[in-house]
Amino acid sequence: MTELRIAIVGFGKIARDQHVGAIAATAGATLAAVASRNASLPGVPHFATIEELLEKGPPIDAVSLCTPPQVRRAQAAAALAAGKHVMLEKPPGTGVAELDPLIAMAEEAKRTLFATWHSRYAPAVEPARAWLLTQRIKSVHINWKEDVRVWHPGQGWIWEPGGLGVFDPGINALSILTRILPRPVFVTAAELAFPANCQAPIAANLTLSDIGGLPVTAEFDFRQTGPQSWDILVETDQGRMTLSGGGRRMAIDGETVAEAPDQEYRELYGRFVKLTATGARDVDLAPLRLVADAFLLGRRNIVEPFVD
């Protein structure tokens, strides 16, 4: 089996913490280069930009874009134009429409474009989806709260236009929601809390529904200290299902029925390797559309400035 030679573009916290180890643990994948202005990896060829990588770098088959979302569209276009497969960290871009030209480019070039949602690969997500298919769902509530200073220290891009603010983690919850529910949901109202010195929200409350009127609510907050909260509660006619730990544990009425260690990024790269074998594409934009609609419908409230 030929190894898929992958270059990581953007070598920040998520690339170091998750992508490097996941590539090393994935059969059929190898890390061939890194492109980053500010960081490198010992023993791996390094280039400052994706342009330099594509022009002067070693032979590669694919790029994994881990840069801030504001610059990913242009980088993905450059990689596709050079005949490379492309994996996009979440969110896949700063807007929904900018993905359409990339999908068209990938189709024309017969190359893979993979918009990843790592939380969908948490071990309890598929068991939850299967169980909910057999239930009458009565309501859903998402409680997704974490400390931005722990997870995004010094990352000013997250507060700029396109950085998403609290929706950077919140979109993980929405990616799970859109996977486990049997019918599509849509946003009906939103309250967004913007720090006075930021262009992206630090907290958000969403109201959603499906075509049948299912009540869905979500609370996102970047100001949580102490224990972090990544929970989805689903009330059904057969009891309450709880997905906790970002999708790692599933319980029915408090009794654990599915739990396993985190292998989300290893699963992502396994999927990427399979997609590239045939040049197939996997670009589900449902979570990003929900975020876009939250911004479109959201009532904006100004709160105290954020100081990192």
Side-chain angles (χ1 to χ4, degrees):
M1 178 179 178
T2 302
E3 292 275 308
L4 183 71
R5 299 165 296 184
I6 302 171
I8 294 177
V9 180
F11 204 62
K13 179 177 172 57
I14 193 68
R16 295 190 301 270
D17 290 354
Q18 299 289 351
H19 288 257
V20 172
I23 292 172
T26 301
T30 187
L31 180 58
V34 168
S36 172
R37 294 187 185 279
N38 303 310
S40 61
L41 186 65
V44 178
H46 172 260
F47 304 88
T49 66
I50 189 171
E51 292 80 12
E52 184 183 7
L53 166 71
L54 294 172
E55 180 183 355
K56 302 177 181 179
I60 61 169
D61 307 299
V63 298
S64 179
L65 298 183
C66 301
T67 47
Q70 292 95 328
V71 299
R72 288 204 198 120
R73 179 196 57 77
Q75 293 174 337
L80 289 169
K84 311 306 178 186
H85 303 290
V86 175
M87 178 171 170
L88 300 168
E89 246 292 359
K90 62 87 191 172
T94 57
V96 180
E98 74 176 13
L99 274 300
D100 292 336
L102 297 179
I103 295 170
M105 284 186 69
E107 290 177 348
E108 183 176 356
K110 296 180 172 56
R111 290 295 181 267
T112 292
L113 181 65
F114 183 24
T116 66
W117 303 108
H118 66 82
S119 290
R120 286 183 175 176
Y121 292 82
V125 170
E126 287 306 307
R129 180 175 182 268
W131 189 79
L132 289 175
L133 285 173
T134 68
Q135 311 300 313
R136 183 174 67 83
I137 303 172
K138 299 162 68 174
S139 66
V140 182
H141 179 68
I142 298 170
N143 186 50
W144 216 264
K145 301 175 180 179
E146 63 181 54
D147 188 344
V148 66
R149 293 181 176 88
V150 171
W151 299 99
H152 294 279
Q155 296 179 18
W157 62 265
I158 207 167
W159 302 112
E160 296 298 325
L164 295 191
V166 74
F167 284 107
D168 183 82
I171 206 170
N172 295 335
L174 297 175
S175 74
I176 295 175
L177 181 76
T178 52
R179 178 62 184 167
I180 65 174
L181 292 186
R183 295 192 291 193
V185 294
F186 49 88
V187 178
T188 60
E191 294 277 343
L192 311 179
F194 281 75
N197 60 338
C198 296
Q199 299 300 311
I202 198 167
N205 292 331
L206 274 57
T207 304
L208 308 96
S209 188
D210 67 5
I211 198 68
L214 175 69
V216 180
T217 54
E219 297 179 48
F220 303 145
D221 204 317
F222 247 164
R223 300 167 295 192
Q224 179 100 322
T225 57
Q228 310 286 275
S229 304
W230 300 298
D231 307 317
I232 300 178
L233 312 176
V234 184
E235 298 289 351
T236 79
D237 58 345
Q238 298 296 317
R240 170 183 281 190
M241 187 205 76
T242 304
L243 271 179
S244 58
R248 294 183 182 89
R249 177 179 180 269
M250 173 187 172
I252 307 296
D253 290 333
E255 181 178 348
T256 300
V257 296
E259 186 173 19
D262 172 21
Q263 295 189 31
E264 296 173 14
Y265 280 86
R266 186 184 300 186
E267 296 288 338
L268 281 182
Y269 277 99
R271 172 70 171 154
F272 190 41
V273 169
K274 289 179 181 178
L275 288 169
T276 60
T278 60
R281 285 152 294 285
D282 183 350
V283 186
D284 179 9
L285 300 180
L288 187 60
R289 280 196 289 267
L290 293 178
V291 172
D293 284 350
F295 276 97
L296 186 65
L297 294 170
R299 183 184 299 274
R300 179 171 176 150
N301 301 313
I302 304 301
V303 298
E304 65 274 12
F306 173 77
V307 180
D308 198 352

